[in-house]
Amino acid sequence: MFDAVRPVLAAMGDKVFHVGERAGQGATVKTVNQLLCGVHIAVVAEAFALAAKVGVDLGVVLEIMGGSAASSWMLKDRGPRMLEAEPEVTSAVDIFVKDLGIVLEAGREAKVALPLAAVAHQLFLATSGHGDGAADDSQVIRSYTRMNGPAG
């Protein structure tokens, strides 16, 4: 079946993968992607919160981490926007509230514990609950600022 539709799928995108025989497995791969993205964004914000609290220049932290083993696509993409007060919105906080909710539901259905996804979801929810749901998802860092107070 997959081989029969491959030409149609290839016309829609250059990366086509066969991930399994059962319905829903492709959706699970998308869910795994959103889990990783949401947790990556939240952990970048957490790292920046620690550095900011002790007075380290976040621009320097971003430059160092961007070239280290800790680097990730999300760090390089969202990190600079975390340093802006009102960055352009490329993906809203509320999108990750929704997506991480889907992740947690998938975990419940599969009976898989996802504690890091749950914490990330709570941080995005807190950010949205403070009126920042339409802000760029990088602004989950605002929840850390509210929890930890101003930078040192």
Side-chain angles (χ1 to χ4, degrees):
M1 173 68 137
F2 179 75
D3 288 334
V5 298
R6 182 185 293 273
V8 174
L9 296 172
M12 291 188 277
D14 62 339
K15 294 182 181 176
V16 177
F17 298 94
H18 183 257
V19 299
E21 297 299 327
R22 292 185 308 227
Q25 288 175 311
T28 299
V29 172
K30 170 65 173 158
T31 300
V32 167
N33 181 75
Q34 293 313 102
L35 184 161
L36 287 166
C37 290
V39 169
H40 276 141
I41 295 168
V43 80
V44 169
E46 186 164 298
F48 281 10
L50 173 60
K53 191 63 177 182
V54 299
V56 177
D57 181 318
L58 293 183
V60 174
V61 169
L62 179 59
E63 184 176 350
I64 293 168
M65 294 303 118
S68 77
S71 186
S72 70
W73 189 92
M74 280 297 184
L75 171 69
K76 290 180 179 182
D77 185 74
R78 297 319 199 273
R81 295 202 308 265
M82 286 183 188
L83 306 184
E84 299 176 30
E86 294 296 332
E88 177 184 347
V89 178
T90 62
S91 175
V93 165
D94 280 344
I95 291 172
F96 271 100
V97 170
K98 173 190 67 74
D99 286 352
L100 288 170
I102 292 167
V103 167
L104 294 173
E105 179 60 29
R108 276 189 292 278
E109 289 175 8
K111 295 185 176 25
V112 174
L114 303 172
L116 297 177
V119 170
H121 186 243
Q122 290 298 303
L123 291 163
F124 281 99
L125 273 173
T127 306
S128 182
H130 272 86
D132 294 324
D136 187 72
D137 58 25
S138 65
Q139 297 309 295
V140 72
I141 197 167
R142 294 174 184 174
S143 285
Y144 284 96
T145 302
R146 284 188 277 274
M147 284 189 287
N148 296 311

